[in-house]
Amino acid sequence: LPASSPASPVSRVNLPKTCGTCHTGPFVSFQKSQHYKLLLSGDDRGPTCSTCHGEVGAHLLSPASLSKQCSTCHGPGREQERTGRGDEARMLMTEVRGVRAQLNEAQSIIRRIKDTTLRAKFEEQYRQAEVPVIEARNAGHEFVFDNLKERLDRAKQRTEALMDALANQ
């Protein structure tokens, strides 16, 4: 069915459910958002998965592109003006990427540890640092940035502790 058909799994309204069959966490969070309610109401201003992830979900907007996308509805003089919302989204996305980069570096270091007991200890610490990053990503799909910030702060603390422990091992 073409995307224009209301019965199509890739129609604007159905796309989140279609994507959510594999991307459960982001979908559950998105369902809590005002954006999802707007989409379900039939309002074409409501963003959907492809708004940020492209037609086949193969990419993620850069922090600057995300800020620009948010500003199309929430920028100065817009109907749903929320000054600074796009900039806040850009900043948070940049921070999440920074924590992920640190975790990638930590994972690389952990893989090189020869002592299996010590490596297992660090792998567990890595997983504990990774959990709030995943939660932050999911919270971003809810567009309630306080939730994202809380999880991001926890991820930063755990990642810094992991990096310190690795540096001192």
Side-chain angles (χ1 to χ4, degrees):
L1 297 171
S4 58
S5 170
S8 171
V10 295
S11 72
R12 285 184 51 76
V13 173
N14 296 332
L15 188 59
K17 183 178 180 182
T18 300
C19 295
T21 59
C22 294
H23 303 280
T24 308
F27 177 53
V28 168
S29 293
F30 185 63
Q31 286 177 303
K32 298 174 189 174
S33 74
Q34 292 301 315
H35 289 147
Y36 186 66
K37 292 174 186 162
L38 193 63
L39 185 65
L40 290 180
S41 77
D43 191 322
D44 286 342
R45 293 174 301 158
T48 190
C49 304
S50 61
T51 305
C52 297
H53 299 287
E55 294 303 317
V56 292
H59 79 281
L60 178 63
L61 291 174
S62 70
S65 296
L66 177 64
S67 177
K68 186 177 179 180
Q69 182 66 44
C70 294
S71 294
T72 60
C73 294
H74 299 295
R78 301 293 183 168
E79 187 177 334
Q80 298 298 319
E81 182 175 342
R82 294 190 68 187
T83 305
R85 188 69 168 175
D87 291 337
E88 185 179 15
R90 182 183 69 234
M91 179 196 70
L92 289 168
M93 186 174 180
T94 300
E95 288 184 48
V96 168
R97 285 183 170 190
V99 172
R100 282 189 170 165
Q102 280 187 300
L103 284 173
N104 288 341
E105 182 180 343
Q107 191 172 49
S108 176
I109 294 167
I110 292 167
R111 285 185 187 131
R112 294 190 304 257
I113 296 174
K114 302 280 188 239
D115 180 322
T116 56
T117 303
L118 186 59
R119 186 173 57 242
K121 174 189 148 198
F122 283 120
E123 286 171 343
E124 177 57 27
Q125 197 172 352
Y126 171 88
R127 284 189 292 276
Q128 292 302 313
E130 187 180 37
V131 167
V133 175
I134 293 166
E135 291 173 340
R137 179 202 66 202
N138 290 343
H141 289 86
E142 190 177 345
F143 302 95
V144 177
F145 293 154
D146 289 343
N147 295 344
L148 192 159
K149 286 180 206 174
E150 177 186 315
R151 287 157 179 87
L152 183 58
D153 287 344
R154 188 176 312 126
K156 285 181 192 177
Q157 291 168 352
R158 291 181 184 179
T159 301
E160 288 172 18
L162 172 61
M163 294 303 281
D164 287 346
L166 286 168
N168 294 315
Q169 60 108 3

